[in-house]
Amino acid sequence: MPLPHLLPRLSHTPPPLRAGDRGNAALLSPGGRRRRRRPALLAVVRAKRKDEASFADRILDYIEGGPKLRRWYGAPDLLPKDGDGGAEDEEDESQVDIEEPRDAVLVTNGDSEIGQMVILALILKRARTKALVKDKRTTEEAFGTYVECMVGDMEDKSFTKKALRGVRAIICPADDGFFSEPTDLKGVQHIVLLSQLAVYRNSGGLQAIMNSKLKKLAERDEEVVLASGIPCTIIRTGSLQSTPGGERGFDFTEGIATKGRISKEDAATICVEALDSIPRKTLIFEVANGDEKVRDWNAWFAEQIKREEEIQ
């Protein structure tokens, strides 16, 4: 089953090469043959100029471009696969303990809608990305070699070790109970947790009953992350909405998570922007869509981290 489109606005044409990429337009195929340009691959005319393409437009270009986009730009080197049968997927056990550079970002619950948005935002930043998914084939068809898909049970220590190999940071974009079971996070330098705990606690009646399990998972995730000793950023958002991002600003007022709403796309953006702003210990804040515009996320996070450290 193909992955559902994340947003309703569709484009069937992959994005044009940026100015910095023009010199590499005549790409070489894996066999060494020079690849000719394809005149048909032109950018569609949008309401905005191409240099003003929104985050959503660029995401959709990646989704709709699919395999053609990867052939056009030249697919990156194949990443190691987690085996799901077949000799080619078998891993040399002698290589398991070999240390590799910690430059990857692990996204949990990569099958979810917001998980896919986080993955796509990481791709746009050219970050090495690993994702925990339930359907490896479907995810690989969607993202190709841009993402290393991992399928397995985090209670299995050998799989956990494999999933976390080379990982410098973890983004948990959904309350999926990733930290519910004891996990060896040695070597991880930063955890970004998107939490809906405030929303679950504020729900009542039938909604509270329906959210009871998610509430417990969210509480457990926050508890484990805070006790891990690893620098962490906990983003407590308002109710997540399947609406286009980038159209509104933000509201970081304390208590806004219990009553506010935020686009999933905007929430995914904040998760990825938080990656390189690592707090000394912990940074916790609430956010929903509002009127405050953030033009420089690095500066915004630096200010919040400084303020939090002064309190601590």
Side-chain angles (χ1 to χ4, degrees):
M1 179 182 297
L3 288 171
H5 294 301
L6 301 185
L7 296 170
R9 294 171 293 170
L10 302 179
S11 162
H12 294 285
T13 307
L17 291 174
R18 296 187 298 274
D21 296 331
R22 296 291 181 187
N24 299 322
L27 298 170
L28 295 179
S29 66
R33 296 187 298 278
R34 187 167 293 275
R35 193 174 290 160
R36 292 187 298 176
R37 292 178 183 272
R38 301 186 180 186
L41 296 177
L42 301 175
V44 294
V45 178
R46 298 181 185 274
K48 299 180 180 179
R49 301 195 311 272
K50 63 183 180 181
D51 59 344
E52 294 179 342
S54 71
F55 174 77
D57 291 330
R58 289 180 290 158
I59 280 181
L60 286 170
D61 283 336
Y62 268 91
I63 296 173
E64 296 300 311
K68 288 184 180 180
L69 177 72
R70 294 191 290 275
R71 290 197 296 270
W72 178 248
Y73 282 112
D77 294 336
L78 289 174
L79 295 169
K81 298 179 180 179
D82 61 318
D84 60 358
E88 66 178 6
D89 286 334
E90 291 180 1
E91 185 174 358
D92 184 354
E93 292 298 327
S94 65
Q95 303 298 313
V96 170
D97 294 326
I98 294 180
E99 189 67 25
E100 64 178 77
R102 288 193 173 273
D103 58 358
V105 179
L106 177 66
V107 181
T108 69
N109 205 348
D111 296 295
S112 66
E113 185 179 8
I114 191 169
Q116 293 172 38
M117 290 179 175
V118 168
I119 290 171
L120 287 163
L122 289 169
I123 291 174
L124 291 173
K125 281 185 170 288
R126 299 178 181 271
R128 181 187 167 202
T129 307
K130 302 176 78 171
L132 296 179
V133 299
K134 297 181 178 67
D135 190 336
K136 177 179 178 181
R137 185 168 187 174
T138 299
T139 307
E140 285 185 335
E141 287 176 353
F143 301 113
T145 53
Y146 289 106
V147 180
E148 182 180 352
C149 301
M150 313 289 290
V151 180
D153 185 353
M154 290 303 291
E155 294 184 25
D156 181 344
K157 291 185 178 180
S158 62
F159 173 74
T160 301
K161 192 172 185 178
K162 182 178 178 181
L164 293 173
R165 193 181 314 145
V167 170
R168 68 177 177 88
I170 299 174
I171 296 180
C172 295
D175 298 302
D176 57 359
F178 176 77
F179 295 105
S180 295
E181 298 297 330
T183 304
D184 184 2
L185 300 174
K186 182 180 179 181
V188 175
Q189 302 162 14
H190 189 196
I191 298 174
V192 177
L193 176 65
L194 191 149
S195 175
Q196 288 269 275
L197 183 56
V199 176
Y200 301 145
R201 284 176 172 171
N202 194 53
S203 59
L206 181 59
Q207 194 65 40
I209 297 174
M210 294 172 63
N211 289 337
S212 60
K213 182 177 180 180
L214 291 173
K215 177 184 173 184
K216 291 178 181 178
L217 291 175
E219 288 174 338
R220 177 61 176 166
D221 280 347
E222 286 202 17
E223 289 172 2
V224 174
V225 168
L226 290 171
S228 68
I230 298 172
C232 63
T233 300
I234 298 179
I235 306 168
R236 292 174 177 161
T237 71
S239 178
L240 295 172
Q241 306 295 303
S242 297
T243 55
E247 297 184 351
R248 299 187 60 193
F250 301 94
D251 186 341
F252 301 99
T253 306
E254 185 175 351
I256 192 63
T258 62
K259 56 185 178 181
R261 298 182 178 184
I262 186 170
S263 159
K264 291 179 181 178
E265 191 177 317
D266 286 337
T269 297
I270 297 174
C271 287
V272 175
E273 292 293 346
L275 275 178
D276 295 324
S277 299
I278 305 177
R280 188 164 57 90
K281 292 182 179 179
T282 304
L283 173 63
I284 303 175
F285 63 92
E286 297 184 39
V287 61
N289 280 131
D291 298 324
E292 182 179 340
K293 298 292 184 180
V294 179
R295 304 189 183 282
D296 185 339
W297 281 106
N298 287 332
W300 186 88
F301 273 107
E303 182 181 347
Q304 304 310 309
I305 291 172
K306 181 180 179 181
R307 185 180 305 169
E308 191 73 17
E309 289 178 352
E310 290 174 351
I311 297 174
Q312 294 174 357

